């Protein structure tokens, strides 16, 4: 991706992918494992996101939504997720992003609708964590536990699935 933007500095999709990758480093505390300091990851996220937003893609909007949510800019996060969905209404990731934001804003019933839409668009997806999270926030603990059991079987390496399963129990 870095080579792509060197060859074509206006390649918005590559900038969006770089912004998303650097954001994951920052958001997931992967500095040590990637060797990219947090300050650099955030700086590179912002640089590439600014370039990507010159010709925005759904990925650029989703990354901006996640970043805005992280920094407590909820209304901006929702607006960016809405733009991602509007730009590509068949992209399940936009619905997943919106669902996650709404669930974490104590709007779990609304978020669940978006998560279910994402799962309908991509039945093979790994959105079970998001589904269980919404069910948990709605105090549907038995459903959340059942969902998280499925999630742990599908992806036994994801420790977050076990955390949510334990909380549901």
């Amino acid at each position: 991706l870095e080579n792509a933007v060197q060859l074509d500095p206006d390649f918005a999709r590559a900038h969006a992918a770089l912004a998303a990758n650097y954001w994951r480093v920052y958001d997931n505390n992967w500095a040590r494992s990637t060797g990219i300091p947090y300050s650099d990851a955030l700086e590179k996220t912002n640089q590439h996101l600014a370039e990507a937003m010159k010709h925005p893609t759904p990925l650029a909007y989703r990354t901006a939504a996640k970043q805005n949510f992280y920094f407590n800019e909820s209304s901006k996060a929702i607006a960016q997720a809405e733009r991602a969905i509007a730009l590509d209404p068949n992209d399940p990731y936009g619905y997943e992003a919106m669902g996650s934001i709404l669930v974490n804003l104590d709007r779990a019933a609304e978020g669940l609708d978006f998560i279910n839409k994402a799962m309908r668009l991509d039945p093979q997806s790994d959105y079970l964590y998001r589904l269980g999270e919404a069910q948990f926030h709605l105090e549907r603990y038995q459903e959340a536990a059942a969902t998280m059991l499925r999630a742990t079987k599908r992806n036994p390496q994801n420790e977050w699935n076990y955390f949510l399963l334990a909380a549901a129990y």
Side-chain angles (χ1 to χ4, degrees):
L1 292 170
E2 294 286 0
N3 287 340
V5 297
Q6 284 180 351
L7 292 171
D8 183 356
D10 296 325
F11 190 9
R13 290 176 65 187
H15 281 292
L18 281 164
N21 283 313
Y22 284 118
W23 178 251
R24 288 189 57 103
V25 169
Y26 184 86
D27 186 41
N28 290 306
N29 299 314
W30 291 345
R32 185 179 308 147
S33 63
T34 62
I36 301 169
Y38 291 114
S39 58
D40 290 354
L42 184 58
E43 181 180 332
K44 288 177 181 273
T45 297
N46 292 334
Q47 288 171 351
H48 288 292
L49 197 52
E51 290 299 317
M53 288 303 211
K54 291 178 182 176
H55 304 285
T57 64
L59 178 57
Y61 283 130
R62 287 194 318 271
T63 303
K66 291 175 183 181
Q67 186 180 40
N68 282 314
F69 180 77
Y70 182 89
F71 289 113
N72 296 314
E73 298 282 346
S74 301
S75 60
K76 287 182 182 178
I78 290 171
Q80 298 290 28
E82 287 172 342
R83 288 184 184 107
I85 292 168
L87 200 56
D88 187 353
N90 291 312
D91 180 5
Y93 297 110
Y95 295 96
E96 183 268 339
M98 178 66 88
S100 177
I101 290 166
L102 291 171
V103 166
N104 287 290
L105 288 174
D106 275 340
R107 294 167 57 182
E110 292 173 75
L112 183 59
D113 291 339
F114 284 94
I115 294 163
N116 284 329
K117 175 78 175 194
M119 293 178 78
R120 280 192 305 278
L121 287 169
D122 184 5
Q124 301 302 314
S125 68
D126 193 18
Y127 297 135
L128 290 174
Y129 180 85
R130 295 291 179 222
L131 177 61
E133 184 180 44
Q135 292 164 334
F136 181 84
H137 281 269
L138 290 168
E139 299 180 7
R140 293 164 35 185
Y141 302 120
Q142 288 182 332
E143 286 179 62
T147 297
M148 297 319 299
L149 278 172
R150 286 177 38 220
T152 59
K153 287 178 183 159
R154 183 178 286 177
N155 189 355
Q157 308 299 12
N158 185 341
E159 64 189 20
W160 290 102
N161 290 337
Y162 295 99
F163 295 147
L164 189 52
L165 175 60
Y169 281 144

